[in-house]
Amino acid sequence: MADVKGLSDHALSILAFAAYHRLVSGERVTSVVRKDGNGHEADPKGVEELTERGLAEAGETEINLGKDAQEAVEVMVEALRGAVR
């Protein structure tokens, strides 16, 4: 299992973006946009950290989240829900 403890805010911003999509779609998120061509770009330091830790694979325009990163997103979503219930 890849290490998700102690992620920087840079890396967490990418997982938070995935959590947003999880909440909106109701579906498990397996990838997020890295660069959309319209000015949105995932934090480069975060991308580097996630890939170095084996949590994601990054292409030019997309970040594919590994199973451990996907599970971390699910935990984040449940924590968000729990914080307001």
Side-chain angles (χ1 to χ4, degrees), residues 19-71:
Y20 162 79
H21 285 289
R22 169 68 175 90
L23 289 165
V24 171
S25 72
E27 307 263 333
R28 189 175 190 98
V29 176
T30 60
S31 66
V32 293
V33 172
R34 181 176 185 178
K35 295 179 185 178
D36 68 1
N38 292 315
H40 171 266
E41 182 176 348
D43 184 284
K45 290 180 184 177
V47 173
E48 181 179 359
E49 183 176 352
L50 291 176
T51 58
E52 285 179 354
R53 287 189 183 213
L55 292 166
E57 293 180 359
E60 190 67 31
T61 60
E62 189 169 288
I63 302 165
N64 294 310
L65 303 175
K67 289 183 182 186
D68 292 332
Q70 292 175 37
E71 188 57 36

Side-chain angles (χ1 to χ4, degrees), residues 8-19 41-44 46-47 50 76:
S8 71
D9 286 350
H10 298 279
L12 287 174
S13 71
I14 295 166
L15 297 183
F17 186 61
E41 182 176 348
D43 184 284
V47 173
L50 291 176
M76 291 171 73

